[in-house]
């Protein structure tokens, strides 16, 4: 199933189908898995409640999502009495994570992973903030799973706080759910805000939840499968290796906190949602590119920086590591300011590598145009800044001791003083008026 997803994502970039598998050997019909939620821009738009016309162009879709962020009014979730998630409730000796067709996603994974396209719900011990984050879960046995949360992620900050106090953290892990919750869990919703409240804002109504039977946490009433349990300080098991999102098997097994499962809830004929990830372009890249680009655009707006024209996190950089921003330069230093804010704001800081700023005549999502700017408007001595010891992780094959990495910032804009003087060479291209005239004249013949 993982291999078919990888092969279709590779063969049909931007157009691959979502794959729903049924009749998995060894499992009853109806116990299904779903892969490739976000392999097209249209499915991202549909999930985000954005008109499909906006999905014709990458930057247009990012802009539409960023506009939603600018005007977002979070709507709190609300508890309902019942929901399909309560159709089956397993506790005690009935708990069995292998009841579902849990895949070994990549050929070299040591174990089967039940949580990949998942929403891990944790509660801040100091306030009424339920965070949803996508963090992977290996299965160890029927009632023990993993939960790998990297430093700095919201769920990790929650867990660190419990552990600093010597306390167990309760967790509810949703492994089959509404694609909107998965998309939000896998993107950078601001600190202190529940992804449920953003989901409510996007849907225009409160997200319906029920109380988890073990944790009491709000869990989606319409979810497919929810696993609840405890993570206790010092209760460690070897986790990984797993084929990672940067395209490598990065580490030998590492001892990490595990989850002792206390309940499983699932609807009849449940769908296990999966996103194994692999070398680019994988089935999660458009999710990360659209959500990450919109969040960075919004951070630039909040920092007060004017005239951002487009943002795109490129597919080849896994939607995280090759960020291009186009601007209309308004003042000396504008381009450099954009580079530093975009690379250091919360949405751009984690695991970045390349950040490039270009003028407004360059489409930041068009790699040929970006390369043209880099090869004609960028000087390798004057137009580079380096950030050292930035926020990275063991997923990076070049990670430095202490989980840091170095970043490159490239100013590929026309030097501002030359733009002002008008002495930068004129671009060879058909002018706008002439283009319009020729398109009209040759309509239906050449165009
Ligand atoms: C398919 C997929 C799997 C992911 N797996 C992990 C993971 O195992 N651990 C982790 O820390 N982040 C993982 N991430 C990234 C986080 O989900 C992402 O950084 C998100 O912003 C975390 O939520 P938070 O900001 O609320 O912490 C994954 C993302 C995707 C799309």
């Amino acid at each position: 199933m993982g291999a078919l997803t990888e092969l279709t994502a590779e063969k049909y970039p931007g157009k691959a189908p979502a794959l729903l598998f049924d009749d998995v050997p060894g499992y009853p019909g109806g116990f299904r898995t779903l892969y490739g939620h976000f392999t097209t821009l249209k499915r991202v738009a549909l999930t985000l409640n954005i008109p499909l016309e906006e999905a014709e162009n990458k930057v247009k879709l990012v802009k539409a999502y960023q506009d939603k962020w600018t005007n977002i009014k979070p709507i709190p979730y609300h508890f309902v009495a019942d929901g399909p998630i309560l159709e089956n409730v397993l506790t005690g000796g009935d708990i069995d994570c292998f009841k579902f067709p849990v895949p070994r996603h990549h050929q070299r994974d040591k174990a089967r992973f039940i949580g990949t396209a998942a929403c891990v719900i944790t509660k801040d011990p100091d306030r009424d903030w339920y965070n949803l984050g996508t963090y992977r879960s290996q299965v160890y046995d029927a009632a023990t799973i993993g939960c790998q949360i990297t430093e700095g992620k919201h769920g990790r900050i929650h867990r660190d706080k419990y552990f600093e106090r010597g306390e167990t953290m309760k967790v509810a892990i949703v492994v089959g759910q509404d694609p909107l919750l998965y998309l939000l869990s896998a993107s950078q919703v601001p600190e202190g805000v529940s992804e449920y409240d953003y989901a409510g804002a996007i849907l225009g109504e409160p997200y319906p939840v029920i109380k988890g039977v073990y944790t009491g946490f709000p869990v989606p009433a319409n979810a497919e499968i929810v696993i609840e349990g405890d993570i206790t300080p010092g209760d460690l098991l070897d986790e990984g290796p797993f084929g990672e999102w940067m395209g490598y098997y990065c580490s030998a097994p590492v001892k990490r906190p595990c989850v002792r499962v206390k309940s499983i809830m699932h609807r009849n004929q449940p769908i296990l949602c999966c996103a194994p990830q692999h070398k680019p372009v994988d089935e999660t890249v458009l999710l990360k590119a659209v959500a990450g680009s919109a969040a960075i655009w919004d951070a630039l707006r909040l920092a007060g920086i004017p005239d951002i024209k487009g943002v795109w996190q490129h597919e080849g950089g896994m939607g995280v590591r090759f960020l291009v921003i186009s601007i209309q330069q308004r003042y000396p230093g504008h381009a450099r300011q954009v580079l530093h804010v975009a690379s250091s704001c919360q949405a751009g800081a984690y695991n970045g590598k390349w950040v490039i700023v270009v003028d407004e005549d360059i489409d930041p999502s068009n790699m040929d145009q970006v390369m043209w700017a880099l090869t004609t408007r960028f000087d390798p001595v004057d137009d580079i800044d380096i950030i050292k010891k930035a926020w990275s992780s063991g997923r990076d094959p070049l990670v430095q001791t202490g989980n840091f990495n170095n970043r490159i910032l490239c100013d590929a804009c026309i030097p501002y003083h030359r733009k002002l003087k008008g002495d930068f060479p004129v671009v060879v291209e058909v002018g706008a008026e002439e283009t319009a005239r020729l398109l009209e004249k040759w309509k239906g013949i050449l165009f």
Side-chain angles (χ1 to χ4, degrees):
M1 296 186 282
L4 284 172
T5 307
E6 178 176 334
L7 294 179
T8 49
E10 215 165 73
K11 191 164 168 58
Y12 308 109
K15 298 191 176 80
L19 299 174
L20 183 70
F21 293 93
D22 200 347
D23 291 325
V24 180
Y27 286 89
F31 275 61
R32 293 157 291 168
T33 61
L34 176 65
Y35 286 75
H37 300 60
F38 295 120
T39 45
T40 69
L41 286 180
K42 279 194 174 167
R43 267 183 260 132
V44 177
L46 204 58
T47 303
L48 290 171
N49 218 358
I50 290 173
L52 290 183
E53 309 86 79
E54 308 287 342
E56 285 159 7
N57 171 298
K58 294 168 188 169
V59 176
K60 205 170 155 191
L61 179 56
V62 171
K63 180 68 188 139
Y65 191 29
Q66 190 254 330
D67 284 346
K68 272 191 194 281
W69 274 54
T70 303
N71 301 309
I72 203 145
K73 294 193 177 55
I75 300 180
Y77 54 81
H78 90 119
F79 282 100
V80 293
D82 202 0
I85 189 58
L86 292 172
E87 283 168 352
N88 302 273
V89 177
L90 313 179
T91 53
D94 292 334
I95 288 173
D96 182 8
C97 292
F98 291 115
K99 184 172 182 190
F100 312 98
V102 178
R104 188 164 67 95
H105 294 283
H106 315 99
Q107 283 172 307
R108 289 169 188 261
D109 290 353
K110 276 268 168 61
R112 293 160 70 177
F113 279 72
I114 194 165
T116 49
C119 307
V120 175
I121 307 173
T122 54
K123 182 182 181 301
D124 187 323
D126 298 325
R127 53 187 160 157
D128 197 25
W129 166 32
Y130 288 97
N131 186 72
L132 278 69
T134 299
Y135 317 123
R136 75 180 185 223
S137 286
Q138 166 174 346
V139 183
Y140 295 100
D141 60 44
T144 313
I145 64 174
C147 185
Q148 189 278 130
I149 321 180
T150 309
E151 298 106 312
K153 302 299 171 79
H154 293 149
R156 176 63 175 263
I157 293 172
H158 290 180
R159 197 183 80 192
D160 289 348
K161 286 190 188 179
Y162 286 97
F163 282 15
E164 281 157 16
R165 301 167 193 188
E167 291 172 9
T168 291
M169 178 172 84
K170 285 191 163 76
V171 67
I173 303 182
V174 192
V175 294
Q177 69 281 312
D178 182 341
L180 176 59
L181 289 184
Y182 160 44
L183 190 152
L184 291 170
S185 299
S187 46
Q188 297 96 339
V189 170
E191 195 266 350
V193 180
S194 178
E195 283 72 6
Y196 279 132
D197 301 359
Y198 264 43
I202 287 168
L203 296 171
E205 58 188 0
Y207 208 88
V209 296
I210 54 117
K211 272 192 196 305
V213 293
Y214 176 69
T215 58
F217 289 2
V219 303
N222 58 9
E224 304 279 331
I225 307 167
V226 178
I227 303 170
E228 297 181 293
D230 286 337
I231 307 184
T232 300
D235 187 8
L236 309 175
L237 289 172
D238 279 345
E239 203 267 354
F242 182 67
E244 301 279 0
W245 62 273
M246 286 205 202
Y248 300 90
Y249 296 92
C250 274
S251 60
V254 176
K255 291 233 176 290
R256 295 194 164 109
C258 67
V259 182
R260 303 291 173 181
V261 178
K262 303 294 181 191
S263 89
I264 297 180
M265 296 170 267
H266 73 89
R267 62 199 295 168
N268 296 333
Q269 304 204 316
I271 298 175
L272 177 68
C273 291
C274 303
Q277 304 192 281
H278 42 87
K279 76 177 163 57
V281 172
D282 80 12
E283 75 284 356
T284 66
V285 156
L286 290 178
L287 175 180
K288 292 187 289 184
V290 174
S293 303
I296 290 167
W297 200 330
D298 210 50
L300 291 163
R301 176 187 70 83
L302 289 167
I305 303 179
D307 284 295
I308 306 298
K309 300 297 175 192
V311 180
W312 186 246
Q313 278 278 21
H314 277 262
E315 293 91 324
M318 292 82 66
V320 174
R321 307 204 102 190
F322 199 98
L323 171 66
V324 185
I325 300 163
S326 66
I327 65 169
Q328 183 165 4
Q329 295 184 77
R330 292 290 183 194
Y331 45 90
H334 188 181
R336 206 55 67 108
Q337 182 190 18
V338 167
L339 288 173
H340 281 273
V341 173
S343 57
S344 295
C345 67
Q346 200 63 10
Y350 176 66
N351 250 316
K353 188 78 158 191
W354 291 83
V355 187
I356 296 162
V357 64
V358 294
D359 293 295
E360 73 277 12
D361 61 328
I362 305 290
D363 172 354
S365 70
N366 181 320
M367 204 57 195
D368 288 336
Q369 292 185 21
V370 173
M371 290 306 285
W372 178 58
L374 277 169
T375 48
T376 60
R377 300 178 185 181
F378 164 81
D379 179 87
V381 173
D382 290 332
D383 293 329
I384 275 192
D385 272 347
I386 300 287
I387 299 182
K388 293 186 180 172
K389 293 187 92 173
W391 181 18
S392 188
S393 79
R395 261 36 85 207
D396 183 348
L398 294 180
V399 70
Q400 301 183 332
T401 309
N403 278 356
F404 300 115
N405 80 348
N406 299 327
R407 310 274 160 94
I408 179 164
L409 314 186
C410 305
D411 174 359
C413 291
I414 292 170
Y416 185 65
H417 62 285
R418 295 192 61 186
K419 191 179 155 123
L420 279 189
K421 271 201 274 171
D423 75 352
F424 202 79
V426 174
V427 173
V428 182
E429 63 181 350
V430 182
E433 272 178 32
E434 185 65 351
T435 300
R437 190 183 72 76
L438 290 173
L439 284 179
E440 185 53 34
K441 180 170 176 185
W442 292 88
K443 195 161 70 183
I445 302 166
L446 283 178
F447 305 107

